[in-house]
Amino acid sequence: MEDEIGEQIRFVLEDGNEGLRAALDPDSDLDEENKQMNRELIQQHEQILAKLDRDEPLSQEDLVVVRDANEIHVNDSLNLGGRHEQAVALDKWLDQAMDMSVDKAMRVLEQWLDRDSHTPARVYRALRTLREEATPDDGDRGPAFDEEGKCLKCGSRISFADVADTVVFAGDEIVKQYPGDITNRHCVRCHHLGLYPEFREHDGGD
Ligand SMILES: [Zn+2]
């Protein structure tokens, strides 16, 4: 791992912990459940920092945590935090270092195809055919959500999902839109703990 990359990983984890610790302050209005999640995330960050200290390679799971922590700096295009450029470099590095799932691979291809408004609809169909071919066990994974959309594992109602619509362009104009299926639906609390507090307020009800 190059020095600048290691340095940026340290930065995002330490910076993230600073924010997470601030929210643990007794005066903070964060509830106990969220405070507990913050503590767990701080611990994950500390474990990764310790691995860096020992020059130990990071696991794929570690890289997911690093990517989540880096994201806020990638999105900081005004560079208010002063680390935008390094964050973009780390993001690119993560692209190479992290395993690519079939779904992710399809999304990457789709995004590039979307840049060209002349991409014919049958190319998207070809992509979907490949995806179905590559993930024949889709059904075997079983539903991750109940009929009310609650995560079967943790009961949270907040999930991220992709919707792949097929849009027909005539020149720059969209002339028809075929609504797509929801794919790639993940529980935010189970898979993106760091982002969950942002959506926590929508999770009420019980
Ligand atoms: Zn969940």
Side-chain angles (χ1 to χ4, degrees):
M1 187 189 301
E2 304 104 89
D3 286 350
E4 306 91 78
I5 294 299
E7 199 190 303
Q8 176 67 6
I9 293 177
R10 274 177 198 287
F11 171 78
V12 299
L13 297 177
E14 281 163 3
D15 185 67
N17 275 357
E18 223 172 277
L20 290 163
R21 284 205 182 93
L24 291 177
D25 190 277
D27 292 336
S28 126
D29 50 12
L30 207 61
D31 63 32
E32 190 46 41
E33 194 183 345
N34 279 306
K35 282 189 176 170
Q36 186 52 32
M37 286 196 295
N38 277 17
R39 286 188 204 105
E40 283 164 21
L41 196 54
I42 289 170
Q43 207 177 13
Q44 279 182 308
H45 288 176
E46 297 287 0
Q47 281 163 359
I48 298 171
L49 287 165
K51 280 190 187 177
L52 290 176
D53 286 341
R54 294 192 299 263
D55 261 333
E56 229 176 85
L58 302 185
S59 69
Q60 287 293 320
E61 274 181 358
D62 294 336
L63 296 180
V64 173
V65 174
V66 169
R67 170 156 273 175
D68 281 349
N70 190 47
E71 195 180 8
I72 183 171
H73 303 284
V74 173
N75 293 338
D76 176 20
S77 54
L78 296 175
N79 200 24
L80 299 174
R83 302 287 297 194
H84 177 63
E85 207 178 296
Q86 293 88 335
V88 171
L90 173 56
D91 200 52
K92 284 196 180 133
W93 182 86
L94 287 166
D95 275 343
Q96 299 302 320
M98 289 173 77
D99 289 341
M100 189 180 271
S101 66
V102 171
D103 275 327
K104 172 74 182 163
M106 294 292 167
R107 261 184 294 157
V108 168
L109 290 174
E110 224 158 6
Q111 274 167 8
W112 277 86
L113 292 175
D114 286 347
R115 292 184 180 194
D116 179 359
S117 58
H118 300 295
T119 303
R122 62 194 291 265
V123 174
Y124 288 99
R125 263 200 72 200
L127 251 188
R128 282 204 200 108
T129 305
L130 287 175
R131 173 163 26 206
E132 278 156 27
E133 197 73 20
T135 52
D137 58 344
D138 244 7
D140 293 352
R141 267 185 257 150
F145 299 90
D146 70 13
E147 65 280 2
E148 285 168 3
K150 283 189 185 172
C151 171
L152 291 177
K153 251 192 190 127
C154 76
S156 168
R157 297 166 62 230
I158 309 300
S159 56
F160 287 156
D162 294 329
V163 181
D165 292 345
T166 298
V167 175
V168 181
F169 280 97
D172 280 340
E173 198 192 341
I174 293 172
V175 292
K176 187 153 177 125
Q177 197 155 356
Y178 298 98
D181 294 332
I182 290 179
T183 56
N184 250 325
R185 188 170 174 193
H186 302 295
C187 169
V188 176
R189 189 151 73 179
C190 291
H191 295 273
H192 304 279
L193 193 55
L195 296 173
Y196 180 71
E198 215 178 301
F199 306 100
R200 177 82 177 70
E201 59 175 302
H202 302 290
D203 215 358
D206 56 77

